[in-house]
Amino acid sequence: MPETLTTALLDALPFAILLVNRMEKVAWANPVARSMFGPDLPGRPFVTVLRQPSIGEALEAALAQGAPGQVRARLTAGGREIAALATVAPLPQDADLRMPEGGAMVVIEDVTAVEDAEAMRRDFVANVSHELRTPLTALMGFIETLRGAARDDPAARDRFLSIMEREAARMNRLVGDLLSLSRVEAEERRRPTAEVDLTAVLKGAVQTLQPAAEAQKVALIREGAEGRLPVQGDPDQLTQVFANLVENAIKYGGAGGEVRINVSRIAHEPVLRGAALKVEVIDRGEGIEEIHLPRLTERFYRVDTHRSREQGGTGLGLAIVKHIVARHRGRLKIESEKGKGSRFIVLLPAI
Ligand code: ADP
């Protein structure tokens, strides 16, 4: 293969590639390597470019014994720490004009995103197991008690059965939310195609939550733009978005006595680069401290876990909202001030 073609191929690959001669000096580096480790690589001793002992050892094995190798290492590249997969392959004499005596090729692949995804998956499984185990342990304990001590005590039996019902309902909600989340994630790239009237969606969500609001003595107030407000969407999913937000506003912000659902038309929304409909769910409750705001939409993230559980929360509501809004090519913004209340803003492209 002509030298220029080899170079062009190595230049085009999305990995950092370094050719290292027998003196352990960099003979050549592709553009990705230069952007990761600095512009002037040729001529530099390899150890001054990559200090990781494990990569150094793999390189020595390739040069001394002609043995290929692969190691994982954390290193700093382009000013940030990355998880790297380093592959080292020996190169024979005359394989490359720049290294007549032979050498080795070191390929560095940034696998940070893959490792992060693996860590997230592990955390998720651990969280789900933990969330399910708590009610399950309670249920098993009460079954045991009903078989034994409470067997002939009708009053205790009724009390335990109602706790068991609550715990079973919690598990049921959790499984329901997990299914919703996985369904929404699976179809996130497919934008819904139906035309939906946002006014009807909001009316439906408010109607569903009216009893919960009344029970907490919270007034639900729908205000702003009226009439037909068409968006491209999935009516069930959009209803779920606003039901979740209004339900949270009642649960966590209900102390303020009212929850407002304000709709407005925006002629040009810079974030969506076009006309938009804006729905704000506003409560006058206790608000959320700023440090929590960026993490609220993470699965199972709660400001107060105990309180959320007590209210029947699964910690998945806002994660579901975020994914549905993303599927609709919209945006979710959360503003809150401790002591004053919270504002959850959904922006959707208008048709
Ligand atoms: P949960 O099932 O716990 O309600 P969500 O994902 O819906 O889960 O919400 C995550 C957390 O965000 C809640 O546990 C709560 O701490 C906080 N939160 C959500 N909405 C509000 C609100 N309107 N006011 C204050 N805190 C809120």
Side-chain angles (χ1 to χ4, degrees), residues 177 244-245 247-253 281 283 285-288 296-305 307-309 311-321 336 341-344:
D177 277 359
N244 283 2
L245 294 180
E247 190 184 352
N248 278 351
I250 299 169
K251 276 199 304 199
Y252 304 108
V281 178
D283 68 62
E286 66 207 48
I288 307 160
L296 282 188
T297 55
E298 285 176 21
R299 301 151 180 193
F300 299 115
Y301 188 87
R302 293 126 154 166
V303 177
D304 178 343
T305 308
R307 174 146 179 233
S308 154
R309 290 230 176 95
Q311 305 257 19
T314 59
L316 294 174
L318 290 178
I320 295 173
V321 167
S336 188
S342 309
R343 185 183 291 258
F344 287 75

Side-chain angles (χ1 to χ4, degrees), residues 7 10 26 56-57 62 66 73 80 149-150 152 162 165 183 207 220 234 242 244 250 252 276 311 322 332 339:
T7 306
L10 296 182
V26 177
E57 281 162 24
R80 67 189 182 96
D152 303 313
S162 66
E165 189 177 23
R183 209 172 311 128
Q207 218 165 33
L220 289 187
D234 175 318
F242 298 109
N244 283 2
I250 299 169
Y252 304 108
Q311 305 257 19
K322 188 178 96 174
L332 171 71

Side-chain angles (χ1 to χ4, degrees), residues 57-345:
E57 281 162 24
L59 177 66
E60 273 164 28
L63 292 176
Q65 294 135 33
Q70 198 165 55
V71 291
R72 278 178 184 262
R74 293 205 79 86
L75 46 92
T76 311
R80 67 189 182 96
E81 177 156 329
I82 63 163
L85 178 67
T87 306
V88 184
L91 293 177
Q93 282 183 1
D94 298 323
D96 189 280
L97 281 183
R98 287 156 291 210
M99 302 188 298
E101 322 214 308
M105 176 162 81
V106 180
V107 180
I108 305 282
E109 199 177 332
D110 181 350
V111 290
T112 317
V114 180
E115 291 210 345
D116 285 354
E118 279 170 14
M120 256 174 77
R121 192 187 52 78
R122 277 196 303 273
D123 278 359
F124 182 62
V125 173
N127 276 326
V128 170
S129 314
H130 178 76
E131 295 287 335
L132 282 171
R133 174 168 259 171
T134 319
L136 203 51
T137 309
L139 281 175
M140 286 164 67
F142 285 117
I143 290 172
E144 193 74 26
T145 320
L146 284 174
R147 281 224 172 102
R151 189 183 206 111
D152 303 313
D153 180 346
R157 203 169 51 211
D158 279 354
R159 195 154 46 85
F160 292 156
L161 281 172
S162 66
I163 303 176
M164 288 169 76
E165 189 177 23
R166 208 176 57 216
E167 295 298 326
R170 179 136 80 97
M171 286 172 68
N172 197 29
R173 260 195 317 275
L174 184 63
V175 173
D177 277 359
L178 284 169
L179 286 174
S180 287
L181 192 59
S182 81
R183 209 172 311 128
V184 183
E185 273 184 326
E187 52 185 28
E188 190 164 332
R189 283 170 206 284
R190 252 182 301 129
R191 191 176 176 186
T193 48
E195 190 182 308
V196 183
D197 174 19
L198 199 58
T199 304
V201 165
L202 291 172
K203 259 191 199 157
V206 166
Q207 218 165 33
T208 314
L209 284 153
Q210 197 63 49
E214 276 165 23
Q216 304 279 329
K217 302 201 173 21
V218 176
L220 289 187
I221 304 158
R222 215 157 44 78
E223 58 185 19
E226 288 181 14
R228 219 181 121 66
L229 298 170
V231 289
Q232 189 178 328
D234 175 318
D236 292 340
Q237 289 190 343
L238 287 176
T239 305
Q240 190 170 11
V241 163
F242 298 109
N244 283 2
L245 294 180
V246 173
E247 190 184 352
N248 278 351
I250 299 169
K251 276 199 304 199
Y252 304 108
E258 63 170 46
V259 169
R260 291 178 179 275
I261 298 110
N262 187 309
V263 195
S264 50
R265 285 195 185 87
I266 300 177
H268 184 82
E269 168 56 55
V271 205
L272 298 186
R273 299 206 198 105
L277 291 173
K278 173 157 104 171
V279 183
E280 295 168 281
V281 178
I282 308 157
D283 68 62
R284 294 186 195 283
E286 66 207 48
I288 307 160
E289 266 176 78
E290 204 176 329
I291 51 156
H292 298 294
L293 295 182
R295 301 199 56 193
L296 282 188
T297 55
E298 285 176 21
R299 301 151 180 193
F300 299 115
Y301 188 87
R302 293 126 154 166
V303 177
D304 178 343
T305 308
H306 182 72
R307 174 146 179 233
S308 154
R309 290 230 176 95
E310 205 146 74
Q311 305 257 19
T314 59
L316 294 174
L318 290 178
I320 295 173
V321 167
K322 188 178 96 174
H323 283 289
I324 297 180
V325 172
R327 184 181 176 217
H328 285 75
R329 307 294 186 263
R331 281 300 155 87
L332 171 71
K333 289 199 282 184
I334 309 173
E335 295 171 359
S336 188
E337 207 178 319
K338 188 84 188 138
K340 296 223 168 123
S342 309
R343 185 183 291 258
F344 287 75
I345 304 159

